[in-house]
Amino acid sequence: MNLPQKHLEETKKLVNALPVRKIANWLLTEGFFPEQYVLPPCFKVLKFTYKKNPYYDFTKKIPLSEIYEITFPKSQLTERTFGIINHKIYHDLVWQLMNNWDEIKKLLFSKQNTIYSYSFPIPLNNDNIGVLGTLRSGRMIYEFIEMSESDIVSEGHKYKFVVKSDIKNFYPSIYTHSIAWAINGKENARKDRNKYTLLGNKIDKLFQNANDGCTNGIAIGPAISDLITEVMLSVIDTDISKQLKNDNIDFIGVRFKDDYRFLCQTESDAKEILNIVQRNLKRFNLSISEEKSTISSLPEGLFREWTSEYHAYSLKHKHIIKYKSFENTFRKVLVIDKKHPNTGVIDKFLSELISKKYKLKLKLSSKEIYKVFSLLLMLKEKRSKSLPQILALTELLVSTYENETEVINNIFDSLNKLTEKKFKKEKSNVYDLIWLTYFLKSHRKLTFKWPNKIESYLLQSIKSNKQKFDLETTYCNLFNKIESPSKKILLAKHLAIFPKEEDE
């Protein structure tokens, strides 16, 4: 049994040990909103009742709703859009899956599937079987690293080539009918169209109505979307596995979400693997990303190139970081990020500035505090999703050097001016504004004047300090009131930057 196979067997064992009700409650609470770096702590499920029966009866008309979207630039030309699903539809998606959980597990863990997934979306606990883990995004990070830089490397000596590929524009490209095809088969799903006796067609309809009736695309971020796509890809992987076996191709295949890796013996096998993957994805209206599909001779292609370049400059093992060390690594990060854009080098650098006890490692003079704040804020222009981490570090700067009153006031003044400027183009800056306004309000340092008209319901919620989205919530409370500075949640902990694991 190879290492990826062992990993999947361990995942299956842990999943089977979990009571269905625990999974349902986790999906409703911890899995309802996108991952921590998307929304601040005020967007938190305080109550979400798992009802005995679903909200909606498929013999009657199910109302349409729209996804509440949060968008930030992924690159100069593309955006990353996360979404919040109407809570009643979300509940029913969870209910339908849990009511058919044994059927779903058979699809997730088919014995005929020899492409081993590292992206089961519910946090499992290896040390305490039958109990859910505490990490969400963190577990996924470690699963990816275990797949790409541990298990595949350990098995690599048996093969000569590595194939990498991922699915082009995955979540926005999903055709909701293809979910039903995966769960129940295309022919059965089509016969049941508009009858809704089969699970797949129920899930299809709920995702459509969550997105104003659209059949293209599902929300990015909610854990239920991750679970459904994992089911769908597991079915596709099973078909790919059967065809590779029929072609007598010697391979090890792994997948993390929509990211595939294959080890194989010959270049012709590698090309055939890509062809078979593409053909099977096409049956579900999906396609591989040609620009991200590569075939490399081993050991090239096994590692993320930026990690070795960053290693010599890493601040991971430093307990105290002086300004010069900070600046030296900062400058190297800019070089690496330019050479390897859209990688995790900025995130890694930022995480290394915090200790395992969520203390700031930086030891600065009075003049250096604002300089560090300024440099950190500039990194946001290189990687939009880094803003929450930058604000988490700013929060620690403020608390660590609270006696430097003038500098701290200058920091908050700068953030207020930045927020006011971004409100002039609200639609283009909702992600930044959500985090900036939360940060300023949670510290009682918000001094700019709110615009008279705010389009985003999420921003309206922060302004009024109460839920302004998805308002028909009898059995549900989706907003955590922003508390005073002494009671607020530390951003570094909310974001689960995971310095503890890094430092040990």
Side-chain angles (χ1 to χ4, degrees), residues 312-465:
Y313 298 85
S314 172
L315 301 171
K316 174 180 173 180
H317 297 295
K318 286 185 175 289
H319 298 291
I320 295 175
I321 303 168
K322 294 190 175 179
Y323 178 79
K324 283 297 179 185
S325 295
F326 165 84
E327 185 186 290
N328 188 42
T329 300
F330 179 94
R331 293 167 72 172
K332 185 61 180 177
V333 165
L334 295 180
V335 173
I336 295 171
D337 183 67
K338 188 173 183 179
K339 184 178 177 182
H340 306 283
N342 300 317
T343 59
V345 65
I346 290 175
D347 298 337
K348 180 139 183 88
F349 166 65
L350 293 173
S351 73
E352 290 178 352
L353 302 178
I354 301 175
S355 77
K356 63 183 179 181
K357 294 183 178 179
Y358 294 100
K359 300 293 183 183
L360 192 70
K361 290 185 184 180
L362 292 164
K363 188 174 183 179
L364 307 169
S365 69
S366 180
K367 291 182 179 180
E368 291 165 347
I369 298 168
Y370 194 81
K371 193 157 44 167
V372 165
F373 163 73
S374 178
L375 288 172
L376 290 174
L377 207 54
M378 289 184 213
L379 283 182
K380 189 264 170 194
E381 301 307 314
K382 299 289 182 182
R383 188 164 172 82
S384 295
K385 66 171 282 190
S386 68
L387 178 61
Q389 277 184 285
I390 291 165
L391 290 176
L393 284 160
T394 301
E395 184 172 66
L396 294 176
L397 271 175
V398 167
S399 61
T400 303
Y401 297 100
E402 59 184 347
N403 293 329
E404 300 287 347
T405 309
E406 185 177 352
V407 178
I408 302 307
N409 287 340
N410 286 340
I411 287 174
F412 282 116
D413 185 52
S414 295
L415 290 174
N416 272 284
K417 287 177 179 175
L418 177 62
T419 305
E420 193 169 23
K421 181 180 177 181
K422 286 185 176 293
F423 258 120
K424 292 176 181 177
K425 294 183 179 179
E426 181 196 328
K427 286 185 178 179
S428 301
N429 293 299
V430 170
Y431 179 73
D432 290 0
L433 286 167
I434 285 170
W435 280 97
L436 288 165
T437 54
Y438 167 81
F439 183 78
L440 291 167
K441 190 159 187 169
S442 69
H443 284 271
R444 300 295 189 265
K445 294 291 185 180
L446 193 152
T447 57
F448 73 90
K449 186 179 179 182
W450 288 92
N452 292 327
K453 184 179 179 182
I454 299 172
E455 292 193 22
S456 166
Y457 291 109
L458 303 180
L459 280 168
Q460 287 179 25
S461 300
I462 292 175
K463 179 183 177 181
S464 63
N465 212 8

Side-chain angles (χ1 to χ4, degrees), residues 30-56:
E30 300 302 320
F32 178 76
F33 286 110
E35 294 177 20
Q36 294 97 319
Y37 70 89
V38 180
L39 289 168
C42 56
F43 296 98
K44 179 179 175 60
V45 175
L46 301 179
K47 181 182 78 170
F48 201 156
T49 304
Y50 184 61
K51 295 167 88 258
K52 189 175 182 179
N53 296 301
Y55 280 98
Y56 298 119

